[in-house]
Each structure stands twice: as structure tokens, then as C-alpha cells.
């Protein structure tokens, strides 16, 4: 998960970490865009798209953009409605937004 990527990097200054996160989000934007532009994705490509959307959503959470995160997670669920990790990520986001009832309903 995206949080784990920076958990051990206490030396990152707040602005420096933010820049790294923004750069990472741009990379995920590119991956998502390229995969979405293809027709008839294979199963492995769909799985990659789901993972990229979820990772980008987690980056959006770290960048304090929970509404963008929800958009990514909802798009991921549209591809794989049975993905438990995505439901967890939505509940986590709802908790950040202090929508505790919604978070509980999702889980």
C-alpha cells in the first residue's frame, strides 16, 4: 500500500514527501490512462488497472484528496465488484471523511 512506501522514511521533509507523492500520482495517471485507452483488456491487464486505480486512490488519500480517492476506488469496483481490498479502501476513506456510518456499511 502507498502508506507503507513512506512509513520508514522519517527523513522526508513534508514538502519533499509531497513532491514524491505527486510524481508517483503522475506515474499512476499515465498507467491508468494507457490501460483505459486499450480495447479488450486481458485478465492480467484488468488486474493491473484495478491495482493502479487502488494505488492512485491511496496516493490521493496521502495527498489529502479523499474525494479523488473515492472516484478511483469506485472505478476499480466497476471493473471488479468483488474486490475486498477496494471495499476496505473505500471504508478507510469514508473514515477519513468522518462518514463513520458509511464506512461501517461498506465493510
Amino acid at each position: 500500500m502507498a502508506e507503507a512506501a513512506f512509513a520508514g522514511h522519517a527523513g522526508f521533509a513534508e514538502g519533499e514527501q509531497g513532491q514524491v507523492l505527486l510524481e508517483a500520482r503522475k506515474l499512476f495517471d499515465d498507467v491508468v490512462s494507457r490501460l483505459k485507452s486499450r480495447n479488450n483488456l486481458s485478465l492480467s491487464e484488468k488486474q493491473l488497472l484495478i491495482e493502479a486505480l487502488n494505488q492512485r486512490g491511496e496516493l490521493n488519500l496521502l495527498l489529502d484528496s479523499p474525494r479523488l480517492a473515492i472516484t478511483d476506488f469506485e472505478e476499480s469496483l466497476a471493473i471488479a465488484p468483488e474486490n475486498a481490498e477496494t471495499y476496505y479502501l473505500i471504508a478507510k476513506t469514508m473514515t477519513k471523511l468522518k462518514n463513520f456510518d458509511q464506512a461501517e456499511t461498506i465493510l
Side-chain angles (χ1 to χ4, degrees):
M1 294 196 184
E3 290 169 319
F6 294 97
H9 294 84
F12 269 130
E14 200 64 30
E16 201 175 337
Q17 181 178 358
Q19 279 302 109
V20 170
L21 293 173
L22 287 170
E23 289 173 25
R25 184 169 62 185
K26 286 179 187 175
L27 293 172
F28 278 107
D29 287 345
D30 187 48
V31 170
V32 168
S33 177
R34 287 174 187 241
L35 286 168
K36 287 170 63 175
S37 71
R38 298 186 58 166
N39 294 322
N40 302 319
L41 293 176
S42 68
L43 179 59
S44 63
E45 289 170 326
K46 284 181 184 179
Q47 291 170 331
L48 181 60
L49 178 56
I50 292 162
E51 187 63 30
L53 286 165
N54 285 344
Q55 290 294 320
R56 186 173 70 178
E58 287 192 274
L59 284 169
N60 282 322
L61 272 179
L62 291 171
L63 289 164
D64 202 28
S65 298
R67 301 215 187 296
L68 290 176
I70 290 290
T71 300
D72 286 333
F73 300 145
E74 287 175 344
E75 192 171 343
S76 177
L77 281 180
I79 300 164
E82 72 289 343
N83 190 316
E85 179 186 4
T86 306
Y87 285 104
Y88 165 76
L89 293 170
I90 291 172
K92 181 177 167 181
T93 306
M94 290 300 168
T95 300
K96 185 169 184 157
L97 292 169
K98 302 199 184 318
N99 291 339
F100 302 114
D101 290 338
Q102 265 188 300
E104 187 176 346
T105 301
I106 289 166
L107 294 176

